[in-house]
Amino acid sequence: MDRADVGALVQSAVDGDAAAWKALVEGLSPLVWSVVRAHRLSDADAHEVYQTVWFRFAQHLGRIREPQKAGSWLASTARHECLKVLKSLRRLTPTDDPQLLDRISEDRTPEQSLLDSEDAAVESERIRHLWQEFEELGDRCRQLLRILMASPPPSYQEVSSALGIAVGSIGPLRQRCLRRLRARMEARGAV
């Protein structure tokens, strides 16, 4: 969706226009889903986050200072909600699942456990740096890459209509954005 269209739809939705609200949800849902799916939540958690994002959007609709940037607001809110869910999932959950309870423990040495945890920490740090650099890309690159990461991936025609980019420009723009992200990661030494 074009930013000007989004801004006009937000203003109409604030004024109570149900058709404008429906158009916003239909037009910006792929963006919200792409952010949610990028966090690899379970289906139930993903749907919960999706609904929470739209609920928060409805709550703040009249207070959004830059209505034309509603897509960015939704993407940011979706990311924050996903991170909240992921943080809550880190806690241990009691289970009576026999498959989990009957697992034979792996006899790993303390040294191997330490090496594994260090490897996991390095990978986690690399991913954190990747998302930091991703957030530093321009709005257009972030929007395009988030939408293209959606599962199932949208067609180029859908991407074109969602972002107002010519179908023939999507591939080259995607390549430029990915090159820019790689260069940023290489400059950071995180590749």
Side-chain angles (χ1 to χ4, degrees):
M1 294 179 76
D2 185 88
R3 280 189 171 194
D5 294 341
V6 170
L9 288 171
V10 168
Q11 291 301 325
S12 295
V14 167
D15 296 335
D17 183 354
W21 176 258
K22 183 177 179 184
L24 281 169
V25 172
E26 289 175 357
L28 295 174
S29 281
L31 171 65
V32 174
W33 275 118
S34 69
V35 173
V36 172
R37 288 187 178 120
H39 288 83
R40 298 181 181 179
L41 301 174
S42 69
D43 283 347
D45 289 335
H47 282 88
E48 182 71 26
V49 166
Y50 174 81
Q51 290 179 2
T52 301
V53 168
W54 285 107
F55 176 72
R56 299 234 186 283
F57 186 66
Q59 283 181 315
H60 294 90
L61 192 60
R63 291 179 271 172
I64 294 177
R65 291 187 190 142
E66 296 179 66
Q68 71 277 11
K69 293 185 179 179
S72 297
W73 190 97
L74 285 164
S76 178
T77 302
R79 183 175 160 272
H80 289 294
E81 290 299 323
C82 287
L83 293 176
K84 274 191 216 176
V85 169
L86 289 171
K87 185 177 179 181
S88 72
L89 292 175
R90 288 188 187 136
R91 298 185 197 117
L92 293 177
T93 305
T95 184
D96 61 354
D97 182 355
Q99 289 182 337
L100 290 175
L101 295 173
D102 292 340
R103 282 193 318 183
I104 299 171
S105 68
E106 299 172 2
D107 293 323
R108 297 180 335 171
T109 64
E111 294 83 7
Q112 186 60 46
S113 296
L114 178 63
L115 290 173
D116 289 347
S117 68
E118 287 175 352
D119 289 345
V122 167
E123 180 63 12
S124 176
E125 188 69 9
R126 189 185 72 76
I127 291 170
R128 190 176 66 76
H129 288 303
L130 175 67
W131 282 108
Q132 283 177 341
E133 294 303 331
F134 181 84
E135 291 300 322
E136 296 298 320
L137 292 174
D139 283 342
R140 196 152 184 88
C141 279
R142 284 196 318 265
Q143 287 177 342
L144 176 66
L145 293 176
R146 277 195 175 114
I147 288 175
L148 291 174
M149 285 188 286
S151 178
S155 70
Y156 272 21
Q157 187 61 42
E158 292 170 323
V159 174
S160 172
S161 65
L163 296 178
I165 300 173
V167 171
S169 299
I170 294 171
L173 178 59
R174 176 181 162 265
Q175 287 178 339
R176 283 193 300 274
C177 293
L178 290 174
R179 273 197 303 265
R180 197 172 303 141
L181 182 59
R182 177 175 279 286
R184 294 182 70 87
M185 290 295 286
E186 286 173 352
R188 184 183 270 242
V191 175

